[in-house]
Amino acid sequence: MKNIDFEKASFKDFENIQGMDPYGWAKLWSEYVTDRSKNGQFNYRQENLSGCGPEIELNLPSNPHRNFVSLVSNDYLGFTQHPKVKAAAIAAIEKYGSGAGASPAIGGHYLFHQEIENKIAKFFKRDSAIVFSTGYTANSSSLQALLKKEDLAILDMAVHASVYEGCLNTNVKTFLHNDLEALERILKTSKDNYRTRMVIIDGVYSQDGDLAPLDKIIQLTKHYGAYLVVDDAHGTGVIGDTGRGVIELHNLYKEVDIITGTFSKTFAHVGGYLVASPELVGFLKFQARQHIFSATLSPASACISKAIDLVDEEPIWMHKLWDNIEYLKTGLESLGLDTGISQSAIIPVKIGDINLNAKICGMLLEAGIYANQINYPAVSRKDARVRMSVMATHTHTQLDKVLNAWEWVIKKTHLEK
């Protein structure tokens, strides 16, 4: 049996333990969770008692706080609580009921699904889109359908886990994050060796919050005859003059071959989308397995259409978001904290040590702040960080509470940049 040092362990250590069956793994995992929880270093799966928002009510009987400033939500514009979005969901449930009851291909494709597909395609100045039950499967399912053993996926090593899963049945080469020289080297050496080559990147990266140099990447991709896929889940509604993400920054709507994203962030619900040519979208509607064999989005998802509209109808939320981003980031850096290279609503505080990182998240909870501890394998072992997501609906008073909590943490742990 493999010996696991709980103080140094990560989730990945429990994926496949030699000499044990899955029941053994589960038992050891339970012991790990119990040990870390006793030490206040396991703040995952907290029980939320209120809806998504800038403050959240948690069921933590041993904690003196009831309401916590929430930095764990990707509801960047606060639309999950927007009256018009909620009204749209309620109206659709009244009309259609609570579920669609079937997969899209055989009875589960409703008028509101088609409206969402039309709107998200138009949002990105394209003609066609397909929606998925989750943002994760928008990547994993589509890439599995498009890339086979004769093909090559070229991935920025920091792309989302859903991309890696989508490429399990094809050849994969990764390049160091945003390293254009490494990307060009792969494109050059792989030319003529594969049937199809796809470069797959994020627009905004989910852990560092930095942006892809899309204009340069697309030049290389086209020069060497490859296709480009951009997942801009964390950029949509945040980046660009009108919230169209990194693609809008460079006005490359037509040049990107495939755009993917999720409805669970700016668009205030759940599900995912892929925007591409009509032919490719038509193909995926019958070849993306998780799409055709999964129940379709519920009637409540009709609220997505209203959320898409609100990005343009009420630009004030993007303005509020960026005011908050700059306020919090400036405050954190004035305390001497390392926020890395973030250029978005994702602001990490780099800690480095996995145990200190977990301890700090526990301390923040003690101070009434709910933030995420991010450790290996989501980031490298030496790059543990506290990840915070800013919302348009945070007040400066709430963000001041966050800054005061970090100041207290610094004094207690001697943490500084």
Side-chain angles (χ1 to χ4, degrees):
M1 186 181 86
K2 181 177 180 180
N3 292 320
I4 296 179
D5 183 346
F6 288 166
E7 287 193 359
K8 298 179 180 178
S10 73
F11 289 6
K12 195 169 183 64
D13 291 301
F14 299 87
E15 285 182 0
N16 184 10
I17 304 174
Q18 297 300 314
M20 298 176 68
D21 66 15
Y23 288 91
W25 307 348
K27 183 176 184 298
L28 195 59
W29 171 258
S30 178
E31 293 171 2
Y32 167 73
V33 171
T34 299
D35 178 85
R36 294 295 85 193
S37 297
K38 284 181 179 177
N39 287 278
Q41 296 186 7
F42 197 87
N43 75 329
Y44 302 101
R45 292 183 68 89
Q46 303 291 356
E47 187 175 333
N48 303 338
L49 301 178
S50 60
C52 180
E55 284 196 1
I56 195 166
E57 188 177 354
L58 297 178
N59 184 23
L60 295 175
S62 62
N63 195 297
H65 298 276
R66 187 73 172 175
N67 293 306
F68 296 74
V69 177
S70 174
L71 298 166
V72 300
S73 171
N74 298 318
D75 180 18
Y76 295 125
L77 302 183
F79 285 174
T80 63
Q81 303 302 323
H82 195 292
K84 292 181 180 178
V85 174
K86 292 196 287 188
I90 292 167
I93 290 173
E94 290 289 349
K95 180 175 181 179
Y96 294 102
S98 62
S103 67
I106 50 173
H109 186 63
Y110 287 72
L111 174 62
F112 60 86
H113 295 127
Q114 191 60 53
E115 290 175 345
I116 295 169
E117 289 178 344
N118 293 344
K119 280 193 177 183
I120 197 64
K122 186 178 179 183
F123 184 84
F124 289 108
K125 305 185 188 302
R126 301 289 285 271
D127 297 323
S128 299
I130 174 176
V131 298
F132 294 81
S133 298
T134 68
Y136 192 97
T137 53
N139 281 331
S140 65
S141 179
S142 299
L143 294 172
Q144 286 176 26
L146 298 174
L147 296 172
K148 308 298 182 181
K149 63 182 180 179
E150 300 88 350
D151 307 317
L152 175 66
I154 305 171
L155 314 181
D156 185 299
M157 66 185 301
V159 293
H160 194 269
S162 58
V163 171
Y164 281 98
E165 181 166 326
C167 298
L168 288 176
N169 298 325
T170 192
N171 302 286
V172 175
K173 292 184 183 292
T174 61
F175 59 96
L176 290 174
H177 178 48
N178 278 344
D179 187 330
L180 297 175
E181 289 185 6
L183 171 59
E184 183 169 19
R185 187 162 53 249
I186 295 172
L187 285 166
K188 186 180 294 185
T189 57
S190 66
K191 191 171 174 60
D192 301 323
N193 294 333
Y194 299 91
R195 178 180 59 187
T196 300
R197 295 179 303 156
M198 277 190 183
V199 176
I200 307 171
I201 64 171
D202 287 359
V204 172
Y205 285 88
S206 61
Q207 299 306 335
D208 281 325
D210 61 327
L211 312 185
L214 183 59
D215 53 340
K216 297 179 177 65
I217 288 175
I218 205 160
Q219 288 176 10
L220 288 173
T221 303
K222 298 304 179 185
H223 178 74
Y224 288 100
Y227 296 103
L228 180 62
V229 181
V230 178
D231 175 355
D232 209 8
H234 290 279
T236 304
V238 178
I239 304 297
D241 290 341
T242 65
R244 266 72 177 172
V246 174
I247 293 171
E248 181 178 25
L249 279 184
H250 302 286
N251 192 27
L252 292 170
Y253 299 99
K254 303 297 183 183
E255 287 79 2
V256 173
D257 297 293
I258 299 173
I259 304 166
T260 67
T262 177
F263 294 123
S264 62
K265 298 176 175 57
T266 287
F267 297 126
H269 192 58
V270 70
Y273 56 86
L274 179 144
V275 178
S277 69
E279 294 80 12
L280 198 67
V281 167
F283 173 80
L284 289 172
K285 286 178 178 178
F286 295 92
Q287 295 296 329
R289 295 178 66 83
Q290 292 98 323
H291 177 79
I292 59 174
F293 293 118
S294 293
T296 192
L297 287 167
S298 73
S301 65
C303 70
I304 294 168
S305 287
K306 176 47 64 178
I308 294 172
D309 290 341
L310 286 171
V311 174
D312 291 328
E313 291 174 357
E314 299 184 5
I316 186 174
W317 300 111
M318 268 191 64
H319 299 317
K320 287 178 177 290
L321 174 63
W322 274 99
D323 176 70
N324 285 341
I325 292 169
E326 291 164 4
Y327 188 85
L328 181 59
K329 189 174 181 182
T330 299
L332 292 168
E333 291 174 351
S334 72
L335 294 174
L337 295 169
D338 182 1
T339 60
I341 52 177
S342 173
Q343 300 168 271
S344 66
I346 298 166
I347 302 179
V349 172
K350 302 291 191 76
I351 305 300
D353 178 82
I354 184 173
N355 287 311
L356 180 58
N357 196 49
K359 178 181 178 181
I360 286 172
C361 279
M363 293 176 70
L364 289 172
L365 273 176
E366 189 179 341
I369 309 300
Y370 186 20
N372 285 318
Q373 56 170 300
I374 304 295
N375 298 314
Y376 180 80
V379 294
S380 69
R381 292 186 184 276
K382 295 181 180 180
D383 203 22
R385 78 278 302 277
V386 177
R387 179 186 183 274
M388 296 175 288
S389 293
V390 184
M391 298 174 62
T393 47
H394 279 121
T395 65
H396 281 199
T397 299
Q398 290 165 338
L399 298 180
D400 284 338
K401 186 176 180 180
V402 174
L403 295 172
N404 291 337
W406 273 109
E407 188 172 16
W408 173 70
V409 166
I410 291 168
K411 290 176 181 177
K412 288 284 189 179
T413 63
H414 307 291
L415 179 71
E416 57 186 2
K417 192 171 181 178

